[in-house]
Amino acid sequence: MSNQLFSNTIAVVLAAGKGTRMKSDKPKVLHELLNTPMLGLSLNTFQSMGLLDIKIIAGHGYDVLAERYPEYERQMILQEKQLGTGHALQVAWPYLKSSPAKWVIVANGDTPLITSDQITQLLEGVNRHNAQVGLLSLTVKDPGGYGRVVKDEQGELQAVVEARDWDSNKYGAYSGEVNSGIYAFSKSALEELLFLLDNKNEQHEFYITQLISLAKSRDLKLFSSCAGASPELLGINSPAELVEQEEYLRLKIVKRLLNSGVIIRSSGQVRIGAEVSIEPGSEITGPCEIYGSSIISAGTRIDSHTYIQDSVLESCHILPFCHIQGSKVGFGATVGPYARLRPGTELKKRARAGNFVELKNSILGESSKANHLSYIGDASVGCNVNIGAGTITCNYDGIKKHKTQISDDVFIGSNTALVAPVNIGSNSMVGAGSTITADIPAQCLSVARARQKNLPGKNPLKKR
Ligand code: UD1
Ligand code: CA
């Protein structure tokens, strides 16, 4: 049933607010949890559900949002003035109206840990009960700034009342239940109610929550589903709430991976992003951070103090204190300690990048080694190459970047400067301390340094 329901549903993510309580110029939904913006987390969840469409209401920082998520730009709707959550939905109405969707899920963009199961539960509940309006609630001890759920004696949903408008004389004692900011509406209910909203409240805003009492007053059928004390449904309004939710997510991910068969030592200090994939049979020691679209295969060992982003590691060993971004490390390769792989780097099988070695946009071929103190940039290095300590590719002439090509079985002596563009033929050897400015054919010994002179008795400090 779900699949058919989902393909009839359009999601609207409310993300136009300024997020005043974050005290930051950045749009609130671009603040990150484990390196993924709140908005990205919500979008991934909705994306995974196979809905008909997703719309994003953007306003404050619209351009920044569009720049960060260009793939969603066509789904963004501008809410020029942020006149409230109800107004945000009104802005979306022309798009909703023309869509074939029967159901509309609305979600606050600052509740990024909501799960697809929770959304499914709400949507299926509304559908099963033939309701027109559905609300997902949660229980919290102190309702704080949340909208409070008001039910009648039969437990039927009556209204959601915002904290500022709460009057215990009118509504009685707080029920323990608050609004999560996730709603399901039939499109026909929205058609009937959406433009009846007013802003007669403390904040003079158009509240989406007024749709509940409006539906009640017009005898539309309501449904509410309470998720209990679900931490996933807590909203993020301040830096303190952001890091609290981030810590919840961190623990959830670490526990999931431990249960799946990943060994995580000092797990309290391991931060793994929501989109990272790690196979059972890999080992990680904290402190360590792994983010973005990283994929870690079985058999990989990642030692402590390592930062990995958007990288693919295939059964390799990352020694402590490495920084790896946008790179691929092949089977049996070793990296570090203290190595830096910058975007576009690939270490083929059994290659080694040792201490204080930096690689950028370069391939280090099978079984090749750069073990100490090197910079390899814009280079393609073949198999079984030995790059001596202190070797540098001089890839930048101040205006352009140039390529260095090193063929198979080359030996580069220590402290060599390879001035690109330059090609080094297979089976050649470069003498230590050389500055190579011209191509070297295959099977040569190339030495490019001043010849040493020994002048007997000429040490100026030792004159007799
Ligand atoms: C809202 C709910 C409250 C609920 C809580 C759950 C209302 C009036 N109140 O309160 O009942 O318990 O969420 O976390 O809805 N936004 C827009 N355009 C606007 C205003 C807001 O897109 O004009 C977006 C914000 O970017 C945010 C979301 O709507 O993602 C919620 O707005 P926020 O101001 O955080 O509402 P709360 O006060 O938390
Ligand atoms: Ca909020």
Side-chain angles (χ1 to χ4, degrees):
M1 181 184 84
S2 294
N3 286 349
Q4 207 193 341
L5 192 55
F6 294 162
S7 60
N8 252 323
T9 301
I10 186 163
V12 179
V13 181
L14 306 185
K18 187 160 191 278
T20 315
R21 288 164 279 179
M22 290 302 292
K23 303 211 170 18
S24 144
D25 285 339
K26 186 152 70 169
K28 178 159 78 172
V29 293
L30 285 190
H31 285 86
E32 295 169 352
L33 285 79
L34 302 171
N35 247 33
T36 307
M38 286 187 215
L39 183 60
L41 291 169
S42 301
L43 291 174
N44 287 348
T45 301
F46 283 113
Q47 199 66 54
S48 71
M49 296 181 67
L51 303 177
L52 180 65
D53 199 1
I54 303 170
K55 296 284 182 203
I56 302 153
I57 310 300
H60 181 78
Y62 181 99
D63 294 340
V64 193
L65 247 61
E67 197 180 321
R68 180 65 180 77
Y69 287 100
E71 69 276 30
Y72 281 101
E73 196 179 351
R74 288 179 45 220
Q75 283 149 276
M76 287 188 185
I77 300 172
L78 175 66
Q79 185 193 16
E80 218 160 327
K81 282 189 184 155
Q82 289 86 57
L83 303 180
T85 47
H87 177 253
L89 192 55
Q90 288 177 338
V91 171
W93 177 246
Y95 302 89
L96 302 177
K97 192 177 176 184
S98 62
S99 144
K102 185 166 178 280
W103 293 100
V104 179
I105 285 274
V106 182
N108 284 353
D110 63 359
T111 309
L113 301 189
I114 179 149
T115 64
S116 51
D117 284 351
Q118 287 171 324
I119 300 164
T120 305
Q121 210 176 336
L122 174 65
L123 203 53
E124 286 186 346
V126 176
N127 194 56
R128 201 173 43 243
H129 288 84
N130 288 320
Q132 307 258 47
V133 172
L135 175 77
L136 189 58
S137 64
L138 69 154
T139 54
V140 291
K141 266 207 190 90
D142 173 7
Y146 286 96
R148 295 130 205 245
V149 172
V150 179
K151 289 183 169 170
D152 66 10
E153 275 152 19
Q154 285 75 48
E156 293 282 320
L157 179 60
Q158 305 290 305
V160 169
V161 180
E162 293 307 303
R164 294 181 196 228
D165 302 308
W166 181 258
D167 175 357
S168 46
N169 292 325
K170 194 165 165 194
Y171 304 111
Y174 162 57
S175 66
E177 214 176 316
V178 294
N179 168 23
S180 71
I182 319 293
Y183 319 84
F185 301 102
S186 73
K187 212 168 83 182
S188 56
L190 286 182
E191 178 139 45
E192 183 175 343
L193 305 175
L194 192 53
F195 289 88
L196 299 176
L197 296 177
D198 63 48
N199 62 354
K200 289 181 199 145
N201 51 56
E202 265 293 307
Q203 291 200 93
H204 304 295
E205 284 187 2
F206 295 89
Y207 290 161
I208 195 170
T209 46
Q210 198 193 350
L211 291 173
I212 310 290
S213 47
L214 279 171
K216 186 76 210 161
S217 68
R218 300 196 142 223
D219 278 336
L220 297 189
K221 191 149 194 294
L222 293 159
F223 168 80
S224 69
S225 164
C226 184
S230 164
E232 285 98 347
L233 293 180
L234 295 173
I236 296 175
N237 301 293
S238 64
E241 288 172 354
L242 176 81
V243 294
E244 199 176 307
Q245 290 305 85
E246 185 178 48
E247 181 57 15
Y248 175 79
L249 177 62
R250 191 193 68 76
L251 257 173
K252 187 172 166 177
I253 292 170
V254 163
K255 277 187 195 156
R256 166 175 54 80
L257 290 169
L258 280 167
N259 288 336
S260 78
V262 179
I263 297 172
I264 305 180
R265 300 190 169 85
S266 295
S267 65
Q269 290 178 297
V270 172
R271 299 164 63 81
I272 298 171
E275 291 152 282
V276 172
S277 141
I278 306 184
E279 277 182 5
S282 25
E283 297 191 33
I284 298 164
T285 300
C288 174
E289 294 173 81
I290 310 175
Y291 295 131
S293 55
S294 296
I295 300 173
I296 318 287
S297 308
T300 300
R301 177 173 153 185
I302 300 170
D303 293 346
S304 69
H305 299 91
T306 284
Y307 181 100
I308 297 166
Q309 183 158 16
D310 300 323
S311 295
V312 176
L313 310 188
E314 289 171 346
S315 288
C316 55
H317 185 183
I318 313 297
L319 285 92
F321 296 99
C322 289
H323 193 280
I324 301 177
Q325 250 185 314
S327 295
K328 187 171 171 192
V329 182
F331 180 88
T334 65
V335 179
Y338 295 100
R340 180 171 182 208
L341 309 188
R342 288 167 55 200
T345 294
E346 183 176 352
L347 263 59
K348 301 275 191 191
K349 285 182 194 163
R350 290 178 292 279
R352 292 170 67 170
N355 29 226
F356 305 104
V357 170
E358 174 182 348
L359 287 114
K360 185 217 70 171
N361 192 29
S362 292
I363 295 171
L364 191 57
E366 205 172 309
S367 301
S368 289
K369 296 180 274 206
N371 271 338
H372 330 269
L373 299 155
S374 273
Y375 172 60
I376 318 281
D378 303 308
S380 166
V381 179
C383 308
N384 301 310
V385 170
N386 186 82
I387 295 188
T391 295
I392 302 288
T393 53
C394 309
N395 60 328
Y396 185 49
D397 60 12
I399 299 166
K400 274 187 169 168
K401 301 278 171 66
H402 300 281
K403 296 275 301 173
T404 298
Q405 272 200 301
I406 303 175
S407 300
D408 296 349
D409 303 303
V410 164
F411 185 100
I412 311 268
S414 296
N415 204 30
T416 292
L418 300 164
V419 183
V422 71
N423 298 312
I424 302 183
S426 61
N427 286 291
S428 280
M429 181 179 209
V430 176
S434 291
T435 297
I436 301 297
T437 53
D439 289 356
I440 304 174
Q443 311 209 15
C444 282
L445 168 65
S446 178
V447 184
R449 65 185 180 225
R451 190 172 281 280
Q452 179 174 335
K453 286 180 201 162
N454 294 335
L455 307 175
K458 291 279 183 185
N459 180 348
L461 300 174
K462 301 279 174 192
K463 278 191 180 139
R464 277 177 218 164

